[in-house]
């Protein structure tokens, strides 16, 4: 490492190293990178040789209450501390948002190794960083832990891996990335060095990294506030203990040494903000190798956690060939998986890959092959050709194995929120696999099996709580009213740490998933929403099978319906309520929705006169709404509203409205006996006798008529004659213009009805029965010839 770290700052490095790492001093500072097996391996040596009586570890002090569970012999990594903060007092921003982050640990995480060794040796160990809320408050928006990321990580090493100095260092070393540089000089070489030399190289690297970070940036990131608080804690502990080991992220170590070395400066207590107890949450949770992988959106720590965990375990066995043996293990495992999937890969290919593996390491000046040599050798010897989507399988398999599939677990006396316990118990009850991060698929017979319906309800609840645990691939969708005829649901589900995090987030809403769903739904119902949104929420509750909680939702829904002035929102709500009522028998519920449906009807009828100024694009949905209302009026329980409905329609006809809407209304009035065929024909002839635009809008009138009263065509022969007259009045150009509208109008008829219309039209022109079949068919070729000839003549003229 010396060849890439030489610089004019080496004197400063020597000075800080002398102060930071001397067993003769009351405090020894050990810089680490999260998940680094070399750091963890050397750290254990330091604890054994220095024998501190206190170990101070970087981590929010609020997690000290979790140390007993973290270090319990039955707790298995990967695990993570989950922090949450609700900014109810607006310390961070006026938006008063909720925040969360993770602090993951593997067996090779130096921080976990230090507290485990402390418990094992009877040494006091504790976290000494600012509480999570204070770190957020100390950071600028968009910086530090306030960066907008999918997974916010407490122990983010990006300051150690991203700046101009590091870019130049990687280029000088002739390597491809920071991670490859780290592996070569700190993991492979680091395990071959003495602990003193390793720490010196770590400090040198961290000092030079920090040297290229501006003071203003460090303030914005919250670093300076954290370091002020940590240094205060270290100096407090120096009064009570003789030998202290300080384990912190390498980026902070040089600053802490400087802050703590001047004992003449009086201690100042770092001011903390007043917090309500329920504003902050700190939980220990099981985690997964996949979630720990820095290549999967987790910015903190090492990539390929499964691989580096194996390196650490081999080093723990004092295996001097830890890297060689681990690389060979993954090479053979990838080859075996390839043979199972595709076959064709031979043992000789694996021998060639291993030969290249060791040769590349030697060529690149590495003491042993690492993960990057493993990738290159498999690419060369397993892919055997151009790398692309069709040949990527070997590298995809390798990446999966390097990441690992392990999931951690907590000891029995761990404090787990009741809602997480409820989730795990129900997964056990339904025999759902949550001990793997692999995706699973299940088919549910929701109408013939009570157990399957219960699993479906559970999946819907996990979806409602945004856990990303399950998603429906196929099945009836009540929210979109699609595929309602399907009798099976196909779901895919997959456990991840996000599931637990999401459940912890909503744990304040209830001790069980059902309670949380009900509380959240009721809270949403109390917020401003329209009828459409309210019905969608009601449908979700219906899907989740929350029968006992529905009365409160329905009571609130009544108010929402009465206050809503949006016609189309009410129409969609009515459609949703009718659909839910129709599904009662299938979903084995006895939900009484008639009152809500009646309220929606009344409000829609009240708003009907306002539809005079309807836009053209809104006509189809309005026609559907009117048809639904008309069908409802035929039911006994809504007879008292029928008169109001028909009166509202008749009022609409007294003003100028869209032709399609007029046709729809006249069809409904005809069906209800309030209008006859002759009256409708008279209206149609009125369109024909009007202006040219009025004539063309006749197609829309027919569309509305056929939507609600297509039997008009079959009552005698007069309607067919009237339509024939309408078509005769059209020029060829006009006919082609309204043809799409006519297609939609006649699209409401069944094939049998279309045949009957064709028969009546033929008879109107004096053709009957089999005479239709005697008409000579025109060949497509002759038709094309005639059309081309006609076009040519027109062009010449």
């Amino acid at each position: 490492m010396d060849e890439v770290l030489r610089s004019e700052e080496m004197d400063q490095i020597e000075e800080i190293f002398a102060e930071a790492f001397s067993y003769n001093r009351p405090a020894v500072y050990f810089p680490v990178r999260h998940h680094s097996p070399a750091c963890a391996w050397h750290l254990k040596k330091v604890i054994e040789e220095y024998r501190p009586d206190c170990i101070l570890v970087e981590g929010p002090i609020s997690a000290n209450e979790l140390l007993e569970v973290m270090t319990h012999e039955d707790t298995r990594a990967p695990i993570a501390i989950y922090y949450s903060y609700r900014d109810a007092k607006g310390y961070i921003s006026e938006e008063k948002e909720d925040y969360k982050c993770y602090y993951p640990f593997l067996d090779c995480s130096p921080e976990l190794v230090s507290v485990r060794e402390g418990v094992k040796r009877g040494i006091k160990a504790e976290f000494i960083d600012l509480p999570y809320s204070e770190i957020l408050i100390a950071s600028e928006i968009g910086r530090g832990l306030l960066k907008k990321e999918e997974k916010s990580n407490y122990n983010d090493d990006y300051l150690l891996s991203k700046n101009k100095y590091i870019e130049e260092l990687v280029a000088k070393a002739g390597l491809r990335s920071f991670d490859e540089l780290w592996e070569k000089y700190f993991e492979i070489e680091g395990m071959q060095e003495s602990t003193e030399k390793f720490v010196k190289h770590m400090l040198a690297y961290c000092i030079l990294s920090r040297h290229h970070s501006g003071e203003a940036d460090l303030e914005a990131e919250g670093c300076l506030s954290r370091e002020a608080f940590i240094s205060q804690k270290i100096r407090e502990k120096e009064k009570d203990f003789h030998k202290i080991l300080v384990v912190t992220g390498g980026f902070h170590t040089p600053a802490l040494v400087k802050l703590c070395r001047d004992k003449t400066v009086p201690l100042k207590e770092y001011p903390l903000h007043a917090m309500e107890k329920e504003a902050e949450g700190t939980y220990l949770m099981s985690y997964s190798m996949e979630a720990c992988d820095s290549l999967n959106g987790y910015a903190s720590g090492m990539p390929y956690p499964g691989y580096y965990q194996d390196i650490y375990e081999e080093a723990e066995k004092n295996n001097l060939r830890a890297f060689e043996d681990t690389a060979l293990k993954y090479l053979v495992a990838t080859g075996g998986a390839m043979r199972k999937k595709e076959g064709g890969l031979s043992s000789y290919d694996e021998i060639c890959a291993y030969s290249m593996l060791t040769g590349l390491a030697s060529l690149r000046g590495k003491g042993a092959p690492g993960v990057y040599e493993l990738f290159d050798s498999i690419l060369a010897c397993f892919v055997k050709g151009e790398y692309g989507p069709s040949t990527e399988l070997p590298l995809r398999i390798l990446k999966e194995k390097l990441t690992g599939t392990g999931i951690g677990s907590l000891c029995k006396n761990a404090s787990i929120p009741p809602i997480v316990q409820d989730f795990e118990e129900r997964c056990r009850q339904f025999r759902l696999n949550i001990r793997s991060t692999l995706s699973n698929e299940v088919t549910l017979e929701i109408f013939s099996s009570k157990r399957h319906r219960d699993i479906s309800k559970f999946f819907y609840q996990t979806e409602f709580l945004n856990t990303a645990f399950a998603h429906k691939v196929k099945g009836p969708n009540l929210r979109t009213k699609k595929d309602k005829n399907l009798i099976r649901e196909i779901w895919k589900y997959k456990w991840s740490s996000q599931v637990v995090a999401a459940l912890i987030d909503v744990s304040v809403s209830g001790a069980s998933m059902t309670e949380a769903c009900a509380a959240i739904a009721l809270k949403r119902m109390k917020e401003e929403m329209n009828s459409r949104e309210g019905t969608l929420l009601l449908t979700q509750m219906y899907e989740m099978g929350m029968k006992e909680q529905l009365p409160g939702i329905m009571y609130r829904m009544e108010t929402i319906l009465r206050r809503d002035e949006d016609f189309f929102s009410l129409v969609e709500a009515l459609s949703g309520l009718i659909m839910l009522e129709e599904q009662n028998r299938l979903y084995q519920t006895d939900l009484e929705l008639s009152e809500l449906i009646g309220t929606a009807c009344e409000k829609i009828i009240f708003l009907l006169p306002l539809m005079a100024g309807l836009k053209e694009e809104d006509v189809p949905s309005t026609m559907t709404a009117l048809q639904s209302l008309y069908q409802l009026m035929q039911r006994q329980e809504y007879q008292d509203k029928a008169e109001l409905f028909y009166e509202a329609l008749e009022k609409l006809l007294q003003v100028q409205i869209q032709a399609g809407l007029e046709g729809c209304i006249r069809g409904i009035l005809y069906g209800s006996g309030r209008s006859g065929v002759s009256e409708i024909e008279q209206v149609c002839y009125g369109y024909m006798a009007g202006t040219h635009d009025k004539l063309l809008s006749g197609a829309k009138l027919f569309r509305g008529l056929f939507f609600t009263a297509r039997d008009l065509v079959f009552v005698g022969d007069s309607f067919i004659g009237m339509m024939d007259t309408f078509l005769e009045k059209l020029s060829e150009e006009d006919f082609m213009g309204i043809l799409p509208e006519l297609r939609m109008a006649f699209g409401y008829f069944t094939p049998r009805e279309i045949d009957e219309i064709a028969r009546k039209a033929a008879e109107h022109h004096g053709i009957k029965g089999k005479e239709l079949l005697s008409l000579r068919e025109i060949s497509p070729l002759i038709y094309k010839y005639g059309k081309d000839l006609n076009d040519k003549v027109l062009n010449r003229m």
Side-chain angles (χ1 to χ4, degrees), residues 668-681:
I668 289 173
L669 294 176
Y670 164 76
S672 65
R674 290 171 174 262
S675 177
V677 178
S678 58
E679 185 179 343
I680 293 175
E681 288 179 0

Side-chain angles (χ1 to χ4, degrees), residues 588-656:
Q588 299 174 12
T589 61
D590 54 355
L591 191 61
E592 182 52 60
L593 291 165
S594 57
E595 287 189 17
L596 288 181
I597 292 173
T599 301
C601 285
E602 288 176 4
K603 197 61 188 284
I604 291 171
I605 292 169
F606 174 77
L607 294 174
L608 267 179
L610 302 177
M611 292 299 101
L614 195 67
K615 294 180 181 178
E616 185 68 42
E617 60 266 26
D618 292 329
V619 171
S621 56
T622 307
M623 287 165 50
T624 303
L626 294 180
Q627 185 187 53
S628 298
L629 281 170
Y630 173 57
Q631 291 169 349
L632 273 179
M633 296 305 118
Q634 312 310 306
R635 289 164 53 174
Q636 185 65 37
E637 60 265 42
Y638 303 111
Q639 284 290 310
D640 59 326
K641 297 175 178 60
E643 192 64 31
L644 290 173
F645 175 59
Y646 298 131
E647 286 178 4
L649 294 182
E650 288 170 344
K651 285 181 181 178
L652 264 178
L653 292 178
Q654 295 170 13
V655 296
Q656 187 174 352

Side-chain angles (χ1 to χ4, degrees), residues 280-300:
E280 296 185 88
T282 307
Y283 297 94
L284 194 63
M285 57 185 282
S286 54
Y287 217 55
S288 68
M289 287 290 191
E290 184 181 26
C292 285
D293 194 336
S294 64
L295 301 178
N296 287 336
Y298 165 57
S300 178

Side-chain angles (χ1 to χ4, degrees), residues 387-438:
Y387 175 70
S390 61
T391 58
E392 66 173 358
L393 182 61
L395 295 186
R396 192 169 72 244
I397 291 172
L398 176 61
K399 287 178 182 177
E400 290 172 357
K401 293 189 176 297
L402 291 171
T403 297
T405 58
I407 298 175
S409 60
L410 305 181
C411 60
K412 290 183 179 180
N413 60 339
S415 177
I416 301 174
I419 193 170
V420 178
Q421 296 179 33
D422 178 55
F423 168 81
E424 293 176 349
E425 175 57 35
R426 291 173 74 178
C427 285
R428 281 192 292 271
Q429 176 188 343
F430 297 135
R431 297 194 290 277
L432 301 176
N433 181 13
I434 57 172
R435 300 310 306 162
S436 167
T437 56
L438 299 177

Side-chain angles (χ1 to χ4, degrees), residues 15 74 169 185 262 312 460 752 797:
E15 179 186 349
D74 292 335
L169 194 62
Y185 290 110
D262 190 355
Y312 178 70
Y460 278 120
R752 184 181 292 275
M797 291 173 66

Side-chain angles (χ1 to χ4, degrees), residues 6 12 24 48 79 102 125 138 241 272 495 589 620 741 760 772:
R6 288 178 186 148
Q12 178 192 0
N24 297 321
E48 186 174 344
I79 55 175
Y102 305 88
F241 298 95
L272 300 180
W495 187 94
T589 61
E741 197 75 39
K760 291 175 79 71
L772 278 170

